[in-house]
Amino acid sequence: MNMQIVRFSLAAALLTAAPILEMASANDFRERGKAAKLSASAVSITPPRDWNKLDIRPGKFAETWTLDGEQLNDVTFYTGVEPGAPLVKERNKKRKPLPKFGAETLLVEVPELLEGTYRAYKEIGEFRLTGSKPGSYLGVKGVEFTYDYTDGDQIRRQGEAHAAIIGGKLYMATYDAPKIHFFQRNIADYRALISTAKIM
């Protein structure tokens, strides 16, 4: 191989790698002890340990944080979901509409809202609500619930969520992880993280 071909091949490789490198650095680092404001909201979080915020947001009111990757430990914050809006962005409003948070939605109906959203958005057939009880989130009374489901990758996942309705808007945090090993490994990290959530 002559030098011209080597140079061309190297340039082509760098051009191919550029988008990958850009994507890898697009996520935001959330440093331990430093308050971070959640996107487009008055909610701030001071993480007790380092986290990563994914650059790609699932919706206008949602953003995802993770320790090792969203498939292994996924914390999604839904902040200030307005009446008439879905939790995540609808891919096809006509053919696959998502359930909407409504002005009349009660706290006890929030688990059903998440279930309907998961079934439609993730296109899963099986979702099981495993527990629901009064709780708190952002310092106000709310609902805490647990669930499990099998995702499209056929991995059984377990979840826990905390939600509150403040000023007619929905605020919720969810933690999803594979039921085997990862859920138990980081559930304490999730609970410690959301315990620092404050609304200004």
Side-chain angles (χ1 to χ4, degrees), residues 12 22 32 39 49 51 80 107 128 145 152 189:
E22 187 178 342
R32 178 181 67 176
S39 302
R49 62 173 294 183
W51 284 78
L107 275 173
R128 192 167 60 106
F145 57 99
D189 293 314

Side-chain angles (χ1 to χ4, degrees), residues 128-199:
R128 192 167 60 106
L129 185 67
T130 54
S132 180
K133 62 181 182 181
S136 66
Y137 182 52
L138 294 171
V140 303
K141 291 181 180 178
V143 62
E144 173 183 337
F145 57 99
T146 55
Y147 51 89
D148 59 39
Y149 63 96
T150 301
D151 213 341
D153 56 11
Q154 300 306 307
I155 293 177
R156 193 72 183 165
R157 286 186 163 77
Q158 193 169 346
E160 181 172 303
H162 297 76
I165 297 174
I166 303 171
K169 297 180 180 179
L170 175 65
Y171 295 80
M172 179 164 63
T174 60
Y175 167 63
D176 291 26
K179 195 168 186 175
I180 296 176
H181 182 64
F182 286 98
F183 183 85
Q184 286 302 325
R185 192 187 76 168
N186 297 118
I187 183 64
D189 293 314
Y190 160 72
R191 290 171 179 163
L193 179 66
I194 66 164
S195 72
T196 71
K198 295 179 181 177
I199 188 165

Side-chain angles (χ1 to χ4, degrees), residues 98-118:
L98 296 177
K100 312 290 192 302
F101 172 70
E104 307 299 324
T105 300
L106 303 174
L107 275 173
V108 294
E109 297 172 320
V110 173
E112 185 180 338
L113 174 63
L114 185 70
E115 176 182 353
T117 299
Y118 274 30

Side-chain angles (χ1 to χ4, degrees), residues 47-60:
R49 62 173 294 183
D50 297 340
W51 284 78
N52 294 293
K53 182 183 83 93
L54 300 187
D55 186 60
I56 299 175
R57 297 171 57 188
K60 178 182 176 182

